Amino acid sequence: MVGCHGGCGGTTVARLLAPAGREATRDTLHLLTTPVVLVARSTAYGMHWATRGVAIAHQSIGPGQLPGPPLLVLVADSPLREPPTVRARVRLVQDRVQAVVRFPYVPEWRDTDDPLTVPLTRPVIEAAVALRTALLRSVST
């Protein structure tokens, strides 16, 4: 699990997938040898950094390096529809990632010291299941 930028939700997503989810930093992306999950907020800023992460990941695919393209997780920053810039940037990278998984906006996560103490909603559970499924597919291919 690589957070593309600060505050993207990478730690929360990794903890939701524990023990399978482990965090790594963007600076060590080129050193990883396991399937990579890039996490970004669904903002123009988030997708700017996600796009860079996808490019770095592609440069690191090969024997003894990354086994294949990364997965991309977008964590919603509001209950509104993604902005046009975000949708356009997702379209640009969607063929370069194994999957795009969207985690919904959870307003209660803004007012807690530990997001995992908030009861999980069906959309969060569905996103976590979709991510686990995509990860399993990436390991088996």
Side-chain angles (χ1 to χ4, degrees):
M1 206 73 52
V2 177
C4 293
H5 56 90
C8 67
T11 299
T12 300
V13 173
R15 289 180 61 212
L16 282 169
L17 294 184
R22 293 180 316 165
E23 284 189 274
T25 64
R26 191 177 60 214
D27 297 337
T28 62
L29 179 59
H30 65 287
L31 301 173
L32 300 176
T33 59
T34 58
V36 169
V37 177
L38 300 172
V39 182
R41 284 279 178 197
S42 61
T43 62
Y45 179 81
M47 278 307 300
H48 165 79
W49 286 104
T51 301
R52 291 179 67 149
V54 169
I56 292 168
H58 271 269
Q59 294 170 358
S60 303
I61 295 172
Q65 294 180 299
L66 294 181
L71 290 94
L72 176 61
V73 169
L74 293 179
V75 179
D77 71 314
S78 84
L80 303 175
R81 185 174 180 207
E82 291 173 350
T85 303
V86 171
R87 293 193 308 270
R89 289 179 181 169
V90 170
R91 282 192 302 275
L92 285 174
V93 300
Q94 67 188 5
D95 291 339
R96 302 195 65 189
V97 297
Q98 292 188 39
V100 177
V101 178
R102 288 172 166 85
F103 273 77
Y105 175 70
V106 182
E108 295 82 7
W109 285 357
R110 299 182 71 219
D111 194 31
T112 183
D113 291 326
D114 183 358
L116 296 191
T117 62
V118 174
L120 297 179
T121 62
R122 180 178 298 243
V124 171
I125 293 168
E126 289 171 352
V129 167
L131 180 53
R132 281 186 188 276
T133 302
L135 269 170
L136 287 172
R137 265 191 247 121
S138 73
V139 171
S140 63
T141 57

